[in-house]
Amino acid sequence: MEKKTFRSRISVLLVGFVIACFLPVFVPMICSGNILNPGFYIMIGTLAFFVLICTGMRYTITDGRLSIKMWGVTTGSVEISNIISAERSYNLISSPAASLKRLCIRFKKGYKWPYYLISPVREQEFLETLKEINPEIYIRADNKKARYRVWDWDI
């Protein structure tokens, strides 16, 4: 099987939240001309780091293995034959996903973590690829729409 790579979905709501946290400090610094302040450069560096993290997440399927990579460095890996289920999750816990609309990938015991929370951008294709390799995976990733679900907004 050829190598398939899926980038992480990026949530507009998450990006908006980060920008909203920085604006009350960032705007007065610019308006007062206080851009030589070290705090200004720390904030710019933090925003750049956030952008790099969000754009560098990839999920790679190669030779029956799912690898989670951050800018080419593998941060997690699991045999697809050991995956039990892939279910929709809106869990807010920290994970290698730049979106709040995620998949909870659970696998058999014997790994450091009981599951991974990921958010591939071409989710349906990702799930079909997993199912081709391991047809026993239980998949429940329905896309219910509702007025209160603003965290579905993704890029």
Side-chain angles (χ1 to χ4, degrees), residues 1-63:
M1 178 182 184
E2 82 271 0
K3 176 180 172 180
K4 285 194 175 185
T5 302
F6 302 85
R7 73 172 175 84
S8 177
R9 176 185 295 143
I10 300 173
S11 174
V12 173
L13 189 66
L14 188 62
V15 171
F17 176 75
V18 170
I19 290 172
C21 288
F22 279 94
L23 279 180
V25 178
F26 196 64
V27 171
M29 278 186 173
I30 292 175
C31 291
S32 68
N34 199 6
I35 60 171
L36 296 177
N37 185 341
F40 178 78
Y41 295 107
I42 290 170
M43 285 182 8
I44 293 291
T46 304
L47 282 172
F49 182 70
F50 174 75
V51 169
L52 283 173
I53 285 178
C54 286
T55 58
M57 290 181 217
R58 301 281 186 267
Y59 315 111
T60 306
I61 298 174
T62 309
D63 299 326

Side-chain angles (χ1 to χ4, degrees), residues 73-146:
V73 177
T74 302
T75 59
S77 184
V78 65
E79 288 287 333
I80 295 175
S81 60
N82 290 332
I83 295 177
I84 298 169
S85 68
E87 299 179 53
R88 172 74 60 229
S89 175
Y90 293 96
N91 193 335
L92 297 176
I93 195 167
S94 177
S95 66
S99 173
L100 300 177
K101 182 180 179 182
R102 301 170 176 181
L103 290 174
C104 180
I105 306 292
R106 294 188 186 278
F107 30 88
K108 297 175 185 171
K109 293 185 183 205
Y111 286 90
K112 185 176 180 180
W113 309 107
Y115 59 85
Y116 288 139
L117 290 171
I118 61 174
S119 61
V121 76
R122 297 182 328 266
E123 190 175 269
Q124 218 38 51
E125 182 185 342
F126 177 81
L127 291 171
E128 288 169 5
T129 305
L130 289 180
K131 197 79 168 162
E132 283 175 16
I133 297 169
N134 182 2
E136 296 176 10
I137 296 175
Y138 170 73
I139 294 177
R140 196 179 89 210
D142 43 343
N143 290 316
K144 296 178 186 170
K145 293 290 181 189

